[in-house]
Amino acid sequence: IEDNYFTYCFEDTELGDYDMNDVVIKARRINETTVEYKLVACGAYDELYIKGINGTAINENTEVHKLFGVDGGYVNTVVGQNIPVVTQQINVSKDFSFLDNDTQPYIIDATTGNEVHLSKKGEDPHGILIPCNFAYPLERICIKDAYSKFNNWGDNSVTSTDWYKYPVIGKTF
């Protein structure tokens, strides 16, 4: 679907705060063979790299904070921040899918050595894909506190599919 946003949210550590904003990427299909990725936030101090997007701006060799032009710290995860997003258009095949494991971005935490992919059924949610232009949690606000229906989705992903439509006011960016 053209111009439909998908939001990738990552938690970089095993025992994190689950604010799911350590790396936030928004993606949309521009046309049949072009996908636009926007790196919108980084809520981590660790040295992070995005894998699976091999553009000139967003690529596997440039650290996330450097992409934003900062030396470290939080980027667009606390109230009042408005650091410009980093945008990259990538040419893709006509059969490209955001749901294909082989084409999904993931992160490498070079500080800890962790590799964070989208979570699979039964795994802790360290990487999730939301099928919209998602308002991610503010820094250190657990996703279950920013979205009170989030745990319902974890309990039953078949009947609780709209949890992301109900943010708690004041707890999302």
Side-chain angles (χ1 to χ4, degrees), residues 99-147:
L99 303 178
D100 184 351
N101 288 334
D102 294 333
T103 61
Q104 293 171 345
Y106 62 98
I107 63 169
I108 298 287
D109 185 330
T111 305
T112 63
N114 286 342
E115 190 171 299
V116 183
H117 294 264
L118 293 183
S119 302
K120 295 184 179 15
K121 186 175 181 175
E123 294 179 344
D124 285 345
H126 289 279
I128 58 175
L129 175 60
I130 301 97
C132 67
N133 193 5
F134 177 68
Y136 53 91
L138 290 169
E139 192 59 45
R140 296 204 166 108
I141 303 286
C142 182
I143 194 165
K144 70 175 181 57
D145 297 325
Y147 288 87

Side-chain angles (χ1 to χ4, degrees), residues 10-124:
F10 296 97
E11 179 66 32
D12 70 337
T13 59
E14 285 295 316
L15 298 173
D17 52 15
Y18 285 98
D19 53 15
M20 303 306 293
N21 67 15
D22 294 336
V23 172
V24 179
I25 302 166
K26 296 191 179 199
R28 69 184 176 118
R29 194 170 201 130
I30 300 292
N31 59 44
E32 203 171 55
T33 59
T34 308
V35 171
E36 178 181 77
Y37 291 97
K38 290 184 179 190
L39 175 62
V40 297
C42 179
Y45 278 89
D46 286 1
E47 182 181 348
L48 302 173
Y49 294 86
I50 299 169
K51 301 292 185 179
I53 302 174
N54 293 312
T56 55
I58 301 173
N59 58 62
E60 298 185 350
N61 299 316
T62 308
E63 200 276 333
V64 169
H65 294 94
K66 301 292 184 217
L67 288 168
F68 284 112
V70 300
D71 289 328
Y74 301 137
V75 177
N76 298 333
T77 63
V78 295
V79 174
Q81 281 186 325
N82 191 19
I83 296 171
V85 302
V86 181
T87 302
Q88 177 73 64
Q89 288 188 1
I90 303 288
N91 291 327
V92 296
S93 68
K94 290 180 180 180
D95 61 344
F96 172 88
S97 171
F98 290 106
L99 303 178
D100 184 351
N101 288 334
D102 294 333
T103 61
Q104 293 171 345
Y106 62 98
I107 63 169
I108 298 287
D109 185 330
T111 305
T112 63
N114 286 342
E115 190 171 299
V116 183
H117 294 264
L118 293 183
S119 302
K120 295 184 179 15
K121 186 175 181 175
E123 294 179 344
D124 285 345

Side-chain angles (χ1 to χ4, degrees), residues 130-132 134-135 146-147 149-150 161-168:
I130 301 97
C132 67
F134 177 68
Y147 288 87
K149 295 184 177 191
F150 179 77
T161 58
D162 63 350
W163 63 270
Y164 55 87
K165 295 179 179 178
Y166 305 100
V168 175

